[in-house]
Amino acid sequence: MKIHEYQSKRVFAEYGVPIPKGKVAVSPKEAYAIAKDLGGKVIVKSQVLVGGRGKAGGVKLANNPEEAEKHAANILGMDIKGLTVRKVLIDEASNIKSEIYLGITNDREKRMPVMMVSAEGGVEIEEVARVTPEKIIKMYINPLLGLQGYQIRDIAASIELPRKNWKEFGIIANGLWKAYNGSDATLAEINPLIITEEETLLAVDGKMLIDDSALFRHHDLAEMRDLDTEAESETIARENDLAYIQLDGEIGCMVNGAGLAMTTMDIVNLFGGSPANFLDIGGGANAEKVAAAFRIILSDPKVKAVLINIFGGITRGDEVAKGILEAIEEVKPEVPMVVRLVGTNAEEGRALLADADMLTAETLVEAAQKAVAAAKEA
Ligand code: GDP
Ligand code: MN
């Protein structure tokens, strides 16, 4: 789960990372009032869950409350990479001398968190990583030992951080690590961590991704979820406990079990189709869950055919069939559907579906071929 900049920075601040004073506004008038409170010179920042807001015109410096109001009016409602801006963060402006990149993520190959740091932070960090990767320093963190003092000093020396900032940097690096570890994050990033003209360090931007599977033990973080910026299909999937990932193909897949879902996608590809999604309805799915899954698939306008592949173990074929009928009744799909039902109560399931307008298949190969052909015809 992604959380907004203002939320990430608040989490960082709880762990001792210095952040600018600021508040969120949802209207230009509110932006004016906050800017006035902060002394006039502020930065107006769109709160959307994508990177590169600065380059997209979603971050603007204001010299007085009037300008803050004007920028807020322009930025609120703006479309940034397909997301509509509904909130702006009004932060006290800082005088930037230089910008550092500081981030932590998991390195799957090394099986360890890794801290990445660069003296050339800011909006061009992707470019730095591409052209001069040696300018990004990596420090692996042993999850049992945590980030060590010597590692922090090593990093500070490597990026040639002025000596007088080392102590602050230690507090920030440690704070970021504690925030990352303590929140079960998969990314915690400050870009930029600035050195101000006054020669102090300040985290002016923040980004955090939280591991969805750990949210059950972070209710405070779970509550930060912004439904506004989530596709409706993802909300429905989460509420119904369905593992759903949208892809850009044309064959909607409804499968039980992650392994079978992967196999189904592979076979669709093998026969020249491309899956519109990964969807695992899980073991023991009931009619209600199946109907929700169906609604999600059919809400994707790219879907030209639906392939339902159910291997009944704990999941019962008749329950799946009931769910499908329920959903058809409600959604009235116009795309062709292919169903393959085997295992527990498959007979009963097939009998229930006999009158529905669906193609049936005995094997997965046959089902995939029929779905691909149907999608091509459509
Ligand atoms: P991003 O583009 O989504 O990563 O948004 P950032 O918050 O990182 O802002 C983009 C850029 O705006 C930063 O790299 C800074 O150069 C600049 N910026 C952000 N905050 C301030 C500020 O308080 N004062 C000034 N002068 N520039 C800022
Ligand atoms: Mn940034």
Side-chain angles (χ1 to χ4, degrees):
M1 179 184 85
K2 292 179 188 174
I3 57 174
H4 284 294
E5 171 195 4
Y6 76 94
Q7 297 166 323
S8 305
K9 289 201 292 201
R10 277 181 202 163
V11 174
F12 296 165
E14 281 170 31
Y15 290 90
V17 175
I19 62 167
K21 265 192 221 149
K23 263 190 178 164
V24 172
V26 294
S27 72
K29 276 271 166 279
E30 219 181 329
Y32 178 94
I34 296 167
K36 199 162 177 209
D37 255 7
L38 292 173
K41 200 171 169 196
V42 293
I43 185 127
V44 181
K45 313 183 75 177
S46 52
Q47 298 297 291
V48 279
L49 299 173
V50 284
R53 299 164 305 164
K55 285 187 178 174
V59 177
K60 286 269 170 6
L61 191 70
N63 287 303
N64 49 55
E66 288 76 21
E67 270 183 38
E69 181 174 350
K70 200 183 76 199
H71 288 322
N74 285 332
I75 294 174
L76 285 164
M78 186 186 258
D79 184 281
I80 299 184
K81 299 184 186 170
L83 294 173
T84 307
V85 182
R86 305 203 188 274
K87 292 179 203 156
V88 286
L89 172 63
I90 312 295
D91 263 359
E92 201 170 53
S94 326
N95 302 310
I96 302 181
K97 194 164 150 193
S98 68
E99 307 193 10
I100 295 167
Y101 174 92
L102 181 66
I104 307 177
T105 186
N106 276 330
D107 187 315
R108 287 172 185 270
E109 264 172 49
K110 295 254 187 201
R111 301 180 185 182
M112 270 195 266
V114 59
M115 179 170 266
M116 288 173 294
V117 195
S118 177
E120 296 189 16
V123 296
E124 299 295 343
I125 191 67
E126 275 89 9
E127 197 61 10
V128 175
R130 201 174 60 81
V131 183
T132 49
E134 68 281 1
K135 288 188 176 160
I136 297 176
I137 287 142
K138 288 186 175 180
M139 186 65 79
Y140 292 94
I141 305 172
N142 182 312
L144 300 176
L145 300 177
L147 183 65
Q148 301 288 303
Y150 77 87
Q151 294 183 301
I152 296 173
R153 289 189 290 278
D154 216 4
I155 293 169
S158 305
I159 60 166
E160 293 176 22
L161 185 75
R163 276 273 170 178
K164 64 175 297 194
N165 296 117
W166 280 32
K167 194 168 167 220
E168 285 169 276
F169 181 73
I171 293 169
I172 293 168
N174 229 326
L176 190 67
W177 160 247
K178 295 256 159 69
Y180 176 85
N181 202 33
S183 311
D184 288 309
T186 53
L187 176 78
E189 182 184 88
I190 304 172
N191 185 35
L193 170 66
I194 62 164
I195 305 182
T196 63
E197 291 292 353
E198 300 76 30
E199 296 181 346
T200 55
L201 300 182
L202 191 65
V204 302
D205 189 15
K207 184 174 175 185
M208 268 190 120
L209 298 181
I210 314 291
D211 185 345
D212 285 305
S213 308
L215 283 173
F216 73 95
R217 57 184 185 190
H218 298 289
H219 294 286
D220 49 337
L221 295 171
E223 275 172 18
M224 291 182 187
R225 188 184 293 279
D226 187 348
L227 290 177
D228 251 4
T229 63
E230 190 176 64
E232 201 195 340
S233 53
E234 280 171 30
T235 310
I236 301 175
R238 191 162 33 76
E239 283 169 358
N240 288 281
D241 212 11
L242 302 163
Y244 170 75
I245 294 161
Q246 185 163 14
L247 303 166
D248 45 21
E250 77 287 348
I251 297 178
C253 302
M254 182 165 90
V255 190
N256 64 327
L260 191 59
M262 299 292 280
T263 308
T264 306
M265 289 162 63
D266 280 351
I267 293 192
V268 164
N269 270 312
L270 184 68
F271 291 111
S274 73
N277 64 280
F278 168 94
L279 199 165
D280 171 14
I281 60 170
N286 55 16
E288 203 182 313
K289 223 167 151 175
V290 171
F294 222 72
R295 252 179 269 134
I296 293 171
I297 293 176
L298 294 171
S299 69
D300 179 351
K302 292 191 302 300
V303 169
K304 294 211 172 64
V306 179
L307 169 52
I308 301 159
N309 183 25
I310 302 295
F311 186 86
I314 306 169
T315 311
R316 291 168 34 186
D318 54 330
E319 278 291 316
V320 172
K322 272 185 218 153
I324 294 171
L325 292 175
E326 210 173 277
I328 290 178
E329 187 66 28
E330 186 193 314
V331 194
K332 307 218 184 330
E334 282 165 18
V335 297
M337 293 176 285
V338 183
V339 61
R340 175 199 176 226
L341 262 182
V342 288
T344 311
N345 291 6
E347 279 307 320
E348 290 86 336
R350 278 197 283 266
L352 282 169
L353 293 176
D355 294 333
D357 183 17
M358 299 180 103
L359 300 164
T360 55
E362 291 293 319
T363 65
L364 178 50
V365 165
E366 188 193 339
Q369 284 171 327
K370 281 187 173 167
V372 171
K376 290 233 161 87
E377 258 170 51

